Amino acid sequence: MNRALMTALAAAALVVSGGSTTASASDAPPRTTHGPCQYAQTPDELAARRVPLPPDPRHTPSHGTVDMSVRTSQGPLPLRLDRAKAPCTVQSFVHLARHRFYDRTVCHRLTAYPTLKVLQCGDPTGTGEGGPGYEYKDELPVDLPPAPSDPTGVRRLYGRGLLAMANAGPNTNGSQFFVVYADSALRPNYTVFGTVGAVGLKTLDKIAAGGIEPTSQDPAPVDGTPVLRTELLSVRPSCRP
């Protein structure tokens, strides 16, 4: 596979597919919260699990961190969410965790491209098409260094241990997220909102070492379902945020 094609594939690998659900019979306009985050219902992509819109206070917490206890079938995956980097994203993630949206969901995607090595989770359907029934704005990173593997300087280094949102284009964040198990090169189009703890990196290394499920079309894929089934058993704030 030539480098140009590899780069193109890697750049597209974190796009969330559009949902296959259809809107209800109601023609009512989607509801949107009135705070700074403006969480908006997506009637054309219904929630994979019923959950209300997140709270959207005028003064959204924008400093400090929130520690999340994440138990998976492959080991612990502790996360530290950074409100200063992405207050609306952190607010949404904690909201979904408190409503048990992530519990008993499978991480559906593992990538092993030379320039993209992530585990993607957060879809209760396990298909890559599910979400919470709402979307919200990007909070894109501005402090990531250039990726050494990209001589054009366009891509940025999403370093080992970063936690970021997957999306389907600008301002389409929902519930799907990815964790980086090895340095990766991406356009800075994905909101970074935290990091994985040291114990969690060991869990990620175990999952990555297990490889990706082969298919009839590709006996040695670099993108697909992890061989080691990784289920998020529970996702909870480990202390009061």
Side-chain angles (χ1 to χ4, degrees), residues 127-202:
T127 64
E129 296 188 352
Y134 67 83
E135 63 186 14
Y136 59 95
K137 66 181 182 180
D138 294 325
E139 297 172 293
L140 299 179
V142 296
D143 57 351
L144 297 178
S149 61
D150 182 9
T152 69
V154 173
R155 289 171 175 77
R156 292 292 182 265
L157 178 66
Y158 280 69
R160 172 173 163 85
L162 282 189
L163 167 67
M165 292 299 294
N167 62 54
N171 303 311
T172 59
N173 301 287
S175 62
Q176 293 189 42
F177 62 92
F178 62 92
V179 283
V180 184
Y181 67 86
D183 288 357
S184 298
L186 285 166
R187 292 176 181 272
N189 297 338
Y190 304 94
T191 296
V192 173
F193 67 107
T195 54
V196 181
V199 174
L201 291 176
K202 292 182 179 180

Side-chain angles (χ1 to χ4, degrees), residues 16 83 91 97 110 124 128 132 149 165 171-173 210 230 235:
V16 178
R83 283 173 164 155
Q91 193 162 254
L110 181 68
S149 61
M165 292 299 294
N171 303 311
T172 59
N173 301 287
T230 303
V235 181

Side-chain angles (χ1 to χ4, degrees), residues 69-153:
S69 174
V70 181
R71 293 191 307 112
T72 85
S73 56
Q74 298 300 332
L77 189 67
L79 305 175
R80 174 161 288 180
L81 313 186
D82 189 335
R83 283 173 164 155
K85 287 186 179 296
C88 294
T89 303
V90 172
Q91 193 162 254
S92 173
F93 191 92
V94 172
H95 169 77
L96 292 173
R98 284 177 168 166
H99 282 81
R100 304 192 175 189
F101 183 90
Y102 290 122
D103 291 7
R104 297 290 177 178
T105 62
V106 175
C107 295
H108 60 279
R109 194 173 203 178
L110 181 68
T111 67
Y113 295 100
T115 57
L116 182 67
K117 299 180 184 296
V118 306
L119 176 70
Q120 188 168 331
C121 313
D123 171 14
T125 72
T127 64
E129 296 188 352
Y134 67 83
E135 63 186 14
Y136 59 95
K137 66 181 182 180
D138 294 325
E139 297 172 293
L140 299 179
V142 296
D143 57 351
L144 297 178
S149 61
D150 182 9
T152 69

